[in-house]
mmCIF file of all heavy atoms in Angstrom:
data_model
loop_
_atom_site.group_PDB
_atom_site.id
_atom_site.type_symbol
_atom_site.label_atom_id
_atom_site.label_comp_id
_atom_site.label_asym_id
_atom_site.label_seq_id
_atom_site.Cartn_x
_atom_site.Cartn_y
_atom_site.Cartn_z
ATOM 1 N N ASP A 371 -38.498 86.229 -50.456
ATOM 2 C CA ASP A 371 -38.355 86.691 -51.831
ATOM 3 C C ASP A 371 -37.029 87.424 -52.001
ATOM 4 O O ASP A 371 -36.540 88.089 -51.091
ATOM 5 C CB ASP A 371 -39.495 87.636 -52.208
ATOM 6 C CG ASP A 371 -40.844 86.931 -52.231
ATOM 7 O OD1 ASP A 371 -40.840 85.696 -52.407
ATOM 8 O OD2 ASP A 371 -41.870 87.615 -52.064
ATOM 9 N N MET A 372 -36.463 87.334 -53.219
ATOM 10 C CA MET A 372 -35.252 88.082 -53.505
ATOM 11 C C MET A 372 -35.587 89.556 -53.661
ATOM 12 O O MET A 372 -36.572 89.911 -54.308
ATOM 13 C CB MET A 372 -34.603 87.558 -54.794
ATOM 14 C CG MET A 372 -33.909 86.220 -54.646
ATOM 15 S SD MET A 372 -32.427 86.301 -53.589
ATOM 16 C CE MET A 372 -31.288 87.141 -54.684
ATOM 17 N N PRO A 373 -34.796 90.451 -53.059
ATOM 18 C CA PRO A 373 -35.042 91.883 -53.239
ATOM 19 C C PRO A 373 -34.763 92.302 -54.683
ATOM 20 O O PRO A 373 -34.067 91.596 -55.423
ATOM 21 C CB PRO A 373 -34.050 92.527 -52.267
ATOM 22 C CG PRO A 373 -32.979 91.501 -52.064
ATOM 23 C CD PRO A 373 -33.645 90.166 -52.186
ATOM 24 N N LYS A 374 -35.282 93.451 -55.076
ATOM 25 C CA LYS A 374 -35.122 93.905 -56.461
ATOM 26 C C LYS A 374 -33.844 94.704 -56.680
ATOM 27 O O LYS A 374 -33.349 94.790 -57.794
ATOM 28 C CB LYS A 374 -36.346 94.745 -56.861
ATOM 29 C CG LYS A 374 -37.635 93.939 -56.919
ATOM 30 C CD LYS A 374 -38.805 94.797 -57.358
ATOM 31 C CE LYS A 374 -40.087 93.951 -57.434
ATOM 32 N NZ LYS A 374 -41.256 94.771 -57.849
ATOM 33 N N HIS A 375 -33.299 95.298 -55.613
ATOM 34 C CA HIS A 375 -32.075 96.091 -55.740
ATOM 35 C C HIS A 375 -30.917 95.169 -56.140
ATOM 36 O O HIS A 375 -30.694 94.131 -55.514
ATOM 37 C CB HIS A 375 -31.767 96.777 -54.411
ATOM 38 C CG HIS A 375 -30.731 97.854 -54.509
ATOM 39 N ND1 HIS A 375 -29.401 97.577 -54.775
ATOM 40 C CD2 HIS A 375 -30.822 99.217 -54.375
ATOM 41 C CE1 HIS A 375 -28.722 98.707 -54.784
ATOM 42 N NE2 HIS A 375 -29.557 99.711 -54.549
ATOM 43 N N PRO A 376 -30.158 95.509 -57.194
ATOM 44 C CA PRO A 376 -29.079 94.614 -57.679
ATOM 45 C C PRO A 376 -28.062 94.232 -56.595
ATOM 46 O O PRO A 376 -27.700 93.060 -56.458
ATOM 47 C CB PRO A 376 -28.426 95.418 -58.808
ATOM 48 C CG PRO A 376 -29.495 96.351 -59.272
ATOM 49 C CD PRO A 376 -30.297 96.699 -58.056
ATOM 50 N N LEU A 377 -27.593 95.224 -55.827
ATOM 51 C CA LEU A 377 -26.621 94.902 -54.782
ATOM 52 C C LEU A 377 -27.263 94.147 -53.625
ATOM 53 O O LEU A 377 -26.600 93.365 -52.945
ATOM 54 C CB LEU A 377 -25.951 96.178 -54.264
ATOM 55 C CG LEU A 377 -24.841 96.769 -55.135
ATOM 56 C CD1 LEU A 377 -24.264 98.021 -54.491
ATOM 57 C CD2 LEU A 377 -23.739 95.759 -55.395
ATOM 58 N N ALA A 378 -28.557 94.366 -53.406
ATOM 59 C CA ALA A 378 -29.263 93.610 -52.371
ATOM 60 C C ALA A 378 -29.368 92.139 -52.765
ATOM 61 O O ALA A 378 -29.310 91.246 -51.905
ATOM 62 C CB ALA A 378 -30.663 94.201 -52.148
ATOM 63 N N GLN A 379 -29.521 91.859 -54.039
ATOM 64 C CA GLN A 379 -29.542 90.469 -54.503
ATOM 65 C C GLN A 379 -28.194 89.798 -54.255
ATOM 66 O O GLN A 379 -28.119 88.661 -53.786
ATOM 67 C CB GLN A 379 -29.889 90.426 -55.993
ATOM 68 C CG GLN A 379 -31.301 90.870 -56.309
ATOM 69 C CD GLN A 379 -31.592 90.882 -57.795
ATOM 70 O OE1 GLN A 379 -30.686 90.769 -58.630
ATOM 71 N NE2 GLN A 379 -32.859 91.025 -58.150
ATOM 72 N N ILE A 380 -27.109 90.523 -54.556
ATOM 73 C CA ILE A 380 -25.767 89.987 -54.298
ATOM 74 C C ILE A 380 -25.563 89.774 -52.800
ATOM 75 O O ILE A 380 -25.013 88.754 -52.373
ATOM 76 C CB ILE A 380 -24.699 90.946 -54.868
ATOM 77 C CG1 ILE A 380 -24.743 90.919 -56.400
ATOM 78 C CG2 ILE A 380 -23.300 90.573 -54.363
ATOM 79 C CD1 ILE A 380 -23.793 91.899 -57.061
ATOM 80 N N LEU A 381 -26.035 90.721 -51.986
ATOM 81 C CA LEU A 381 -25.913 90.595 -50.538
ATOM 82 C C LEU A 381 -26.657 89.361 -50.029
ATOM 83 O O LEU A 381 -26.141 88.628 -49.171
ATOM 84 C CB LEU A 381 -26.466 91.852 -49.856
ATOM 85 C CG LEU A 381 -26.542 91.837 -48.323
ATOM 86 C CD1 LEU A 381 -25.159 91.632 -47.706
ATOM 87 C CD2 LEU A 381 -27.165 93.130 -47.807
ATOM 88 N N THR A 382 -27.843 89.094 -50.555
ATOM 89 C CA THR A 382 -28.621 87.929 -50.129
ATOM 90 C C THR A 382 -27.887 86.633 -50.458
ATOM 91 O O THR A 382 -27.797 85.728 -49.625
ATOM 92 C CB THR A 382 -30.003 87.936 -50.808
ATOM 93 O OG1 THR A 382 -30.686 89.144 -50.467
ATOM 94 C CG2 THR A 382 -30.838 86.747 -50.360
ATOM 95 N N VAL A 383 -27.356 86.547 -51.670
ATOM 96 C CA VAL A 383 -26.606 85.357 -52.083
ATOM 97 C C VAL A 383 -25.375 85.176 -51.198
ATOM 98 O O VAL A 383 -25.091 84.079 -50.700
ATOM 99 C CB VAL A 383 -26.197 85.476 -53.568
ATOM 100 C CG1 VAL A 383 -25.206 84.375 -53.961
ATOM 101 C CG2 VAL A 383 -27.430 85.397 -54.478
ATOM 102 N N ALA A 384 -24.631 86.267 -50.976
ATOM 103 C CA ALA A 384 -23.406 86.197 -50.168
ATOM 104 C C ALA A 384 -23.706 85.832 -48.721
ATOM 105 O O ALA A 384 -22.945 85.080 -48.087
ATOM 106 C CB ALA A 384 -22.667 87.533 -50.239
ATOM 107 N N ASN A 385 -24.806 86.336 -48.201
ATOM 108 C CA ASN A 385 -25.172 86.056 -46.814
ATOM 109 C C ASN A 385 -25.438 84.567 -46.612
ATOM 110 O O ASN A 385 -24.950 83.953 -45.645
ATOM 111 C CB ASN A 385 -26.399 86.882 -46.438
ATOM 112 C CG ASN A 385 -26.678 86.864 -44.953
ATOM 113 O OD1 ASN A 385 -25.820 87.164 -44.138
ATOM 114 N ND2 ASN A 385 -27.892 86.494 -44.588
#
Side-chain angles (χ1 to χ4, degrees):
D371 294 336
M372 286 292 286
K374 294 182 179 179
H375 193 291
L377 281 181
Q379 293 177 348
I380 291 176
L381 174 60
T382 301
V383 170
N385 191 53

